[in-house]
């Protein structure tokens, strides 16, 4: 096997291990915010030293989770094709894409350590794309022109949080929670 092939295999293995640790951390911290790195290692099926190689401290793991969530939001925003069709339909697609990120986003919203995380300080390209979509919808008449675009953005996040909470805490089927979220969104932002 060539050196290039070995490097690709190693980086693929590293990426899978890192992903397994991040996924296990999100799953575990969603139910136990005080979970240790050793707990995360056990949940990921790797040794504690392996977790420490990737994330020397808990703060490094939390920073990585935050960055991963921002990346996931960016990918979801792209998949929603915000420039295609009427703005309300694009907003519904975005809501559906974001809904799939529920566990990750709920952790970010619920865990106090993320409230002051520096990664939230700047408006991301995904934020800007959402605000452009809202303004486009208001200009074309498919979204209520009365509220500020930031208000509609916050309403979207509040509805998503409510849908995730409904599914998690009240055992409402996920598809029902999403349907209710979309129904309420249409009522809240349509002219």
């Amino acid at each position: 096997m060539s050196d290039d092939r070995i490097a690709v295999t190693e980086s693929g293995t590293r990426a899978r291990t890192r992903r397994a640790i991040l996924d296990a951390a999100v799953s575990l911290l969603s139910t136990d915010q005080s979970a240790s790195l050793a707990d995360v290692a056990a949940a990921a099926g790797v040794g504690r030293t392996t977790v420490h190689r990737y994330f020397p401290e808990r703060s490094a793991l939390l920073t990585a989770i935050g960055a991963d969530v921002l990346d996931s939001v960016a990918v979801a925003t792209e998949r929603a094709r915000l420039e295609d069709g009427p703005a309300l339909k694009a907003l519904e697609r975005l809501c559906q894409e974001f809904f799939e990120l529920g566990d990750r986003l709920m952790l970010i919203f619920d865990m106090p350590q993320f409230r002051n995380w520096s990664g939230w300080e700047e408006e991301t390209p995904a934020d800007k794309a959402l605000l452009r979509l809202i303004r486009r919808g208001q200009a074309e008449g498919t979204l209520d022109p009365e509220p500020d675009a930031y208000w509609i953005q916050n309403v979207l996040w509040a509805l998503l949080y409510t849908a995730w909470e409904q599914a998690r805490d009240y055992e409402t089927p996920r598809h029902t929670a999403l349907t209710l979220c979309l129904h309420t969104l249409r009522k809240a932002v349509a002219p």
Side-chain angles (χ1 to χ4, degrees):
M1 192 181 294
S2 73
D3 288 342
D4 290 341
R5 178 99 167 135
I6 292 170
V8 168
T9 303
E10 287 174 348
S11 65
T13 301
R14 281 190 57 79
R16 283 190 302 277
T17 302
R18 185 176 194 282
R19 167 69 18 215
I21 293 167
L22 287 173
D23 290 345
V26 167
S27 179
L28 184 61
L29 291 170
S30 293
T31 58
D32 178 10
Q33 293 181 6
S34 65
S36 67
L37 289 180
D39 297 330
V40 171
V46 298
R48 195 181 63 188
T49 56
T50 299
V51 170
H52 282 282
R53 267 198 309 274
Y54 288 84
F55 309 105
E57 298 176 3
R58 182 182 169 90
S59 61
L61 176 62
L62 295 179
T63 297
I65 290 171
D68 186 57
V69 168
L70 289 177
D71 289 345
S72 297
V73 167
V75 168
T77 301
E78 242 180 78
R79 274 197 313 261
R81 304 176 330 277
L82 299 186
E83 301 302 321
D84 294 353
L88 182 56
K89 292 296 180 192
L91 193 60
E92 289 174 4
R93 285 193 304 271
L94 183 64
C95 190
Q96 291 170 329
E97 291 290 340
F98 283 172
F99 185 79
E100 295 306 315
L101 304 176
D103 290 345
R104 285 176 155 52
L105 287 166
M106 284 292 279
L107 178 62
I108 297 295
F109 294 146
D110 287 345
M111 199 164 175
Q113 290 90 329
F114 284 111
R115 289 201 185 102
N116 298 321
W117 181 57
S118 62
W120 299 127
E121 291 174 1
E122 290 186 30
E123 202 171 59
T124 67
D127 293 326
K128 292 175 184 174
L130 173 55
L131 291 169
R132 275 194 311 274
L133 170 66
I134 293 167
R135 291 179 182 121
R136 175 171 70 89
Q138 290 175 317
E140 72 188 16
T142 59
L143 297 178
D144 187 348
E146 189 78 21
D148 178 83
Y150 289 101
W151 176 263
I152 293 175
Q153 179 186 38
N154 288 331
V155 166
L156 171 68
W157 285 113
L159 287 172
L160 281 163
Y161 185 89
T162 301
W164 294 321
E165 188 176 54
Q166 187 74 26
R168 181 189 68 191
D169 296 348
Y170 300 99
E171 299 178 7
T172 300
R174 287 175 46 82
H175 70 277
T176 302
L178 176 58
T179 299
L180 291 168
C181 181
L182 292 171
H183 174 76
T184 307
L185 179 67
R186 280 183 219 105
K187 297 286 187 184
V189 302

